[in-house]
């Protein structure tokens, strides 16, 4: 997502930027998931919530002031303490007894051909939460929902969620289900949904992807009406599943009402996610002060994702196989240099609600989690990729993460050396085909890249040469067909639905070539111009983006559609990619200045095809690992 400085005004005129302490009290509402999900925060009675907690939080409608050359989306809340959402005793009692399901969403189980997870939330704790599954035989199977809850570390609100693991399903088969509980609100009805399992073995299928979605509720920072149209666009393409590439809803930018922002996100997504799995990865805006050691409690409590076998880190990263494609979902927060998590911008500290027991956060504090796994994620990635390239049932390896190795956005974040150092050598060695990201709110496609160009960067401050490990394009010929066994294609798909599109791209004024910003070191908080205020610097280096093949200056909004064709045994397999964009949806187009508005019409921008040899040909895997190894070029 974009990292520009902004100020949020509020009724009392004060400013600061964030959130609560990084503690997690690790209680379960249901021990049945103790080995299935990370532990949640302590459970406390839930205060009734309102769609916009103006009275409870003191927040006025947000006024966003974008500062040129800034580098942080800093949620500024007023000086003093946050308060829990205001509610009458009667409404609190009503809410605490309301188990009506909402925010229903699907994810794949450990085997997408035979298992799915149905997840949802409710205003209060549900009594006997459950899924009624129609297996097609005329009867219904009851699948219990395991309860997960946490208490927000800033406003003290308790959130109730549930996960029902449905397994023993038949591959490539449609099922309908109902989500219900014993204590539905008066007049409420259960939620109905459906799902199709993945095929077993090689088969055609479709998936879609974008990141940086936000919510349609414009009372929240970065939310915008395009978010609703983006969800409808996914449904219009009828994919088997959707990949959501991080920065789901930006609750951290609305620190007084984080649970309500998540709620609006879940309600919006239900229109699609109740009918096909939406597979997420965490972004920098899933990090929240006060909500777990890495700030991911809100995210991890809402999603039960495939296991990764790494203690303490289930849900942070994972993989799953559909047909002949292995999908690998990563948390790039663990490796990037950029400090882009929550920041208390000052000049005042932020005191969480008294009920949380959390101390005030000092100005200049950011939650920077680079290296949090101690190398466990990269070690897991190496094992996962090696196993995939040794598996004759896997043709394609597709990686999903939030931050970018290859972005030339001028007004966004740009690229990060941390990803290039840690993961691109593995992508080369094991011939990763496709990398799908968000972070910058635009569309960009790279040429296939392999290895890197050494010392091709320039330090912004001094002009001195700097190591950026610029990805080396194996071709710079414009084409609509690429062999990904020769190089990895990177796509920036950050056009979900935020109010800050970034379809403005870098150009080197000296030679007219495309230019990218690159973070080569951490940009930790530094004193700002105002007394007691703090900021974070932009990327410290630039490079000519020789790897950049296509950029969309027409709009920052779009969705990519991928159609996989398994091909014939021993032959070639392909993925046809069409990127559809919503022209005119930018609030103001950066190139033309034209004012726009949310637009439901997504039209094709470009189509291209990726091809590679199938892995069931003789001797294919031994050659793949060897030929994929590269250090640098040039």
């Amino acid at each position: 997502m974009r990292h520009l400085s902004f100020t949020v005004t509020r009724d009392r005129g004060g400013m600061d930027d964030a959130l609560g302490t990084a503690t997690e009290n690790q209680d379960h509402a249901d021990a049945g998931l103790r080995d299935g999900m990370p532990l949640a925060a302590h459970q406390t009675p839930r205060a009734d919530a309102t769609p916009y907690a103006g009275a409870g939080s003191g927040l006025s409608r947000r006024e966003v002031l974008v500062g040129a050359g800034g580098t942080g989306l800093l949620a500024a809340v007023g000086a003093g303490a946050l308060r829990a959402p205001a509610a009458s005793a009667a409404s609190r009692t009503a809410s605490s007894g309301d188990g009506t399901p909402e925010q229903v969403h699907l994810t794949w189980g450990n085997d997408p051909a035979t298992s799915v997870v149905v997840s949802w939330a409710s205003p209060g704790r549900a009594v006997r939460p459950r899924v009624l599954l129609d297996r097609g035989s005329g009867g219904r199977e009851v699948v219990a929902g395991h309860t997960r809850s946490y208490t927000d570390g800033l406003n003290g609100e308790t959130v109730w969620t549930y996960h029902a693991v449905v397994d023993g399903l038949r591959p490539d088969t449609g099922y309908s289900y109902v989500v219900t509980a014993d204590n539905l609100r008066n007049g409420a009805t259960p939620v109905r949904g459906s799902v199709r399992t993945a095929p077993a073995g090689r088969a055609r299928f479709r998936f879609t992807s974008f990141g940086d979605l936000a919510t349609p509720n414009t009372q929240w920072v970065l939310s915008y009406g395009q978010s609703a149209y983006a969800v409808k666009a996914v449904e219009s393409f009828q994919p088997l599943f959707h990949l959501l590439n991080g920065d789901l809803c930006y609750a951290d930018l609305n620190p007084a009402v984080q649970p309500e922002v998540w709620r609006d996100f879940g309600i919006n997504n239900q229109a699609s996610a109740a009918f096909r799995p939406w597979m997420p990865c965490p972004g920098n805006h899933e990090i929240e002060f006060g909500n777990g050691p890495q700030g991911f409690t809100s995210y991890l409590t809402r999603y039960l994702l495939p296991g990764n076998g790494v203690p303490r880190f289930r849900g942070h990263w994972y993989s799953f196989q559909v047909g002949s494609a292995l999908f690998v979902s990563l948390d790039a927060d663990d490796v990037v240099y950029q400090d882009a998590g929550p920041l208390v911008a000052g000049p005042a500290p932020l005191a969480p609600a008294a009920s949380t027991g959390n101390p005030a956060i000092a100005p200049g504090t950011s939650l920077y989690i680079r290296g949090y796994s101690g190398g466990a994620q990269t070690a897991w990635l190496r094992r996962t990729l090696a196993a995939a390239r040794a598996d004759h049932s896997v043709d394609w390896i597709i990686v999903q993460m939030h931050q970018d190795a290859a972005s030339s956005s001028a007004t966004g974040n740009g690229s990060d050396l941390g990803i290039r150092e840690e993961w691109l050598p593995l992508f080369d060695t094991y011939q990763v085909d496709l990398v799908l990201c968000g972070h910058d709110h635009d569309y960009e496609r790279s040429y296939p890249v392999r290895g890197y160009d050494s010392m091709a960067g320039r330090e912004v401050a001094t002009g001195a040469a700097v190591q950026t490990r610029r990805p080396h394009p194996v071709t710079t010929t414009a084409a609509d067909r690429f062999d990904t066994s020769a190089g990895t294609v990177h796509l920036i798909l950050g056009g979900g639905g935020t109010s800050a599109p970034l379809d403005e791209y870098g150009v080197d004024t000296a030679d007219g070539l495309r230019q990218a910003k690159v973070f080569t070191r951490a940009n930790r908080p530094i004193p700002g111009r105002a007394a007691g205020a703090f900021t974070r610097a932009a990327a410290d280096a630039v490079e000519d983006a020789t790897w950049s093949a296509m950029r969309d200056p027409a709009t920052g909004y779009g969705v990519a559609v991928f159609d996989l064709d398994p091909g014939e045994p021993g032959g070639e397999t392909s993925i046809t990619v069409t990127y559809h964009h919503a022209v005119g949806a930018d609030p103001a187009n950066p190139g033309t200045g034209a004012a726009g508005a949310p637009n439901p019409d997504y039209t094709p921008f470009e189509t291209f095809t990726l091809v590679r040899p199938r892995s069931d040909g003789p001797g294919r895997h031994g050659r793949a690992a060897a030929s994929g190894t590269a250090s640098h070029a040039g």
Side-chain angles (χ1 to χ4, degrees), residues 59-85:
L59 288 170
S60 70
R61 185 176 180 84
R62 272 77 174 164
E63 177 185 356
V64 178
L65 306 175
V66 177
T71 60
L73 273 175
L74 311 178
V77 298
L82 295 181
R83 299 197 302 270

Side-chain angles (χ1 to χ4, degrees), residues 48-54 217 219-220 257 260-261 263-264:
D48 187 55
T50 57
Y52 175 54
N217 184 350
Q219 295 181 96
W220 310 140
V257 286
E260 300 315 306
V261 180
R263 182 173 187 260
D264 284 348

Side-chain angles (χ1 to χ4, degrees), residues 1-25:
M1 62 133 301
R2 186 178 192 177
H3 274 271
L4 295 177
S5 299
F6 73 76
T7 299
V8 182
T9 65
R10 74 178 273 188
D11 296 340
R12 295 169 189 161
M15 291 182 357
D16 78 84
D17 175 38
L19 321 164
T21 58
T23 59
E24 187 171 19
N25 290 323

Side-chain angles (χ1 to χ4, degrees), residues 34-53:
R34 189 168 299 278
D35 296 324
M37 293 189 67
L39 298 175
H42 185 65
Q43 301 164 28
T44 59
R46 180 187 188 275
D48 187 55
T50 57
Y52 175 54

Side-chain angles (χ1 to χ4, degrees), residues 437-464:
C437 301
H439 205 39
D440 285 336
H441 305 163
D442 55 32
Y443 173 75
E444 187 164 11
R445 170 174 58 83
S446 78
Y447 293 109
V449 296
R450 180 68 44 87
Y452 65 91
D453 300 325
S454 186
M455 300 303 292
R458 177 172 52 84
E459 193 173 53
V460 172
T462 67

Side-chain angles (χ1 to χ4, degrees), residues 190-217:
V191 174
R192 299 178 182 275
S194 62
V195 64
R196 175 166 289 274
T197 52
R202 287 178 168 87
R204 294 175 181 266
F205 67 90
R206 167 178 285 186
F207 67 97
T208 54
S209 182
F210 55 61
D212 305 80
L213 181 58
T215 87
N217 184 350

